[in-house]
Structure formats: structure tokens, C-alpha cells
Amino acid sequence: AQSVSQHNHHVILSEAASLELGCNYSYGGTVNLFWYVQYPGQHLQLLLKYFSGDPLVKGIKGFEAEFIKSKFSFNLRKPSVQWSDTAEYFCAARGNQGGKLIFGQGTELSVKP
Amino acid sequence: EPEVTQTPSHQVTQMGQEVILRCVPISNHLYFYWYRQILGQKVEFLVSFYNNEISEKSEIFDDQFSVERPDGSNFTLKIRSTKLEDSAMYFCASSVVSETQYFGPGTRLLVL
């Protein structure tokens, strides 16, 4: 069955701390992977995506993610978080021909100033 | 930058009433989607729409739900007879073929 799981429901960090949010997927066939962010009161915005090629992808606002096929993982990282990174983060997967996204549960990140 | 828009932002309705949620996808996009997120749960796929017909739907998308593209810009989700469990945030998304899906701000539906 297709599924995406995110390990952490709520992460609390102080500013300048490093961030890693876990994401594992189960998907038959070639997969496209995404991280979306939802700031308070705003809509889902794309942070970064992986379709193919270099497994280390860089996104907006200093975020990056690494696709590790052998571990079925696509963890999100940021070396130094800011208070403005407080948001909910969603990992999602779909087949490489497009179609529906399968979302993880979401991880709420709270950054203390 | 073009955005997906949704109206209304909030809707409160009585159980058994019909609701129509509206979306304006990005103008050159060809694929349209509806997702929903019940409070505290995952974002779930409902339906995708391409070339004026449903291309895929989930088991959630039963006969109570329908989608329509009534004109060249709007994409609507209708719930014929709302139930308490339909209370959720409903997101519209659009994309160009197999590219990234862009999401609207959502409509928060509360069924009383």
C-alpha cells in the first residue's frame, strides 16, 4: 500500500538549532517526493521536490532534503532554524507520472526566539 | 506569481444541507485536485480532474460528492447532503501535467 509517514508530530527548537524532520515512504514504482510547508493561517507551499537525479535537493529558505532510496527516506534538513520557520511541514509522495499526492501526518515545528 | 484561490474561506452549514466550494486554479494548469484535512488528521486526496472528467477518485469521494468545471476558470466541489464527518479543511490544487501541485488557501467547512 502507498503510504508516507513522518516520525515527529511536534518538534520544538530554539533559534539557530539544526533541524531534521524524518519522512519515510512506501510506494511501488518510481516515486516523486515533496516537502510542503504551511505557515500559520496560510496555504500549503512547496519547499522542495525530488523527481530524479541528484538525491540531495535544495529548496527555498535554506531547506534541503536527501532522498535515500535504500532507506525509503526523504528527510528534511536545515542547518540553522529561525523563528519564522515555525509552521507545519508535510512530506508527500506520488508516482512519477503525476496524480494524487499521498501525505504524511505532518510535523508541527515550533521555534523559540 | 499566480496563485490558486478558494472561496469561501469559511463555511458553516447544517447537516443535510448542500455546499459548494469554489476554486480558481492557476490559469494555464490542466489538472485539478481536491484534498481535505480533518482536524488532527492527514491531508487526504479526494479527486482529480482532467479534460473535463474525473481522472481518479478516492473511496472517500462517494455519491455525495461531485466536481465540476462550469466555466473556463472555476473548479467546484459539491457536497450534496453534508454530514458531521464532512467537517474539514478542503484544499484545491492545480498542476501542469505531471508537475508540482500548487495549493489554494483552503475552505474550512463546519457541519453542525
Side-chain angles (χ1 to χ4, degrees):
Chain A
Q2 301 163 352
S3 67
V4 174
S5 68
Q6 294 180 236
H7 312 307
N8 315 100
H9 291 293
H10 193 185
V11 172
I12 302 172
L13 295 173
S14 298
E15 275 194 315
S18 65
L19 170 72
E20 182 160 2
L21 301 182
C23 172
N24 285 93
Y25 66 92
S26 172
Y27 206 98
T30 305
V31 67
N32 295 158
L33 295 160
F34 304 81
W35 276 97
Y36 284 87
V37 60
Q38 188 175 28
Y39 297 104
Q42 297 188 29
H43 59 280
L44 287 161
Q45 301 172 39
L46 181 70
L47 266 184
L48 47 78
K49 62 187 178 185
Y50 173 78
F51 284 8
S52 64
D54 188 344
L56 183 63
V57 292
K58 294 192 184 298
I60 60 171
K61 305 187 182 189
F63 286 91
E64 64 178 32
E66 185 174 12
F67 171 58
I68 303 180
K69 191 174 181 180
S70 61
K71 295 185 178 180
F72 301 95
S73 70
F74 189 56
N75 291 355
L76 181 71
R77 299 194 292 248
K78 185 170 183 178
S80 175
V81 295
Q82 301 172 319
W83 176 79
S84 58
D85 293 324
T86 294
E88 190 153 16
Y89 292 80
F90 295 91
C91 183
R94 69 159 198 212
N96 68 335
Q97 298 300 311
K100 68 183 180 188
L101 289 168
I102 309 293
F103 280 88
Q105 303 94 318
T107 297
E108 185 180 346
L109 172 66
S110 300
V111 180
K112 297 179 181 177
Chain B
E1 185 177 322
E3 290 185 339
V4 176
T5 59
Q6 290 183 242
T7 55
S9 58
H10 294 80
Q11 172 107 37
V12 181
T13 190
Q14 295 293 320
M15 191 169 56
Q17 294 296 304
E18 175 184 285
V19 294
I20 298 176
L21 310 183
R22 291 182 168 81
C23 169
V24 179
I26 294 173
S27 62
N28 64 331
H29 286 187
L30 301 176
Y31 285 81
F32 314 115
Y33 308 84
W34 283 101
Y35 294 82
R36 77 173 186 190
Q37 185 180 27
I38 295 171
L39 191 63
Q41 297 186 24
K42 292 187 180 188
V43 177
E44 305 172 286
F45 168 77
L46 292 177
V47 65
S48 59
F49 192 84
Y50 170 71
N51 200 25
N52 281 320
E53 60 183 27
I54 291 173
S55 49
E56 187 176 5
K57 61 182 181 180
S58 72
E59 61 274 11
I60 302 167
F61 194 87
D62 61 21
D63 292 343
Q64 297 282 34
F65 293 89
S66 62
V67 288
E68 192 178 31
R69 188 154 163 82
D71 52 42
S73 59
N74 289 282
F75 178 52
T76 62
L77 174 69
K78 182 192 290 186
I79 309 174
R80 287 190 184 79
S81 178
T82 50
K83 298 177 275 198
L84 296 176
E85 54 264 38
D86 293 328
S87 295
M89 180 73 94
Y90 287 80
F91 295 104
C92 175
S94 68
S95 71
V96 177
V97 195
S98 58
E99 279 300 316
T100 302
Q101 292 177 29
Y102 291 87
F103 284 80
T107 294
R108 186 172 295 283
L109 176 65
L110 178 61
V111 183
L112 301 176

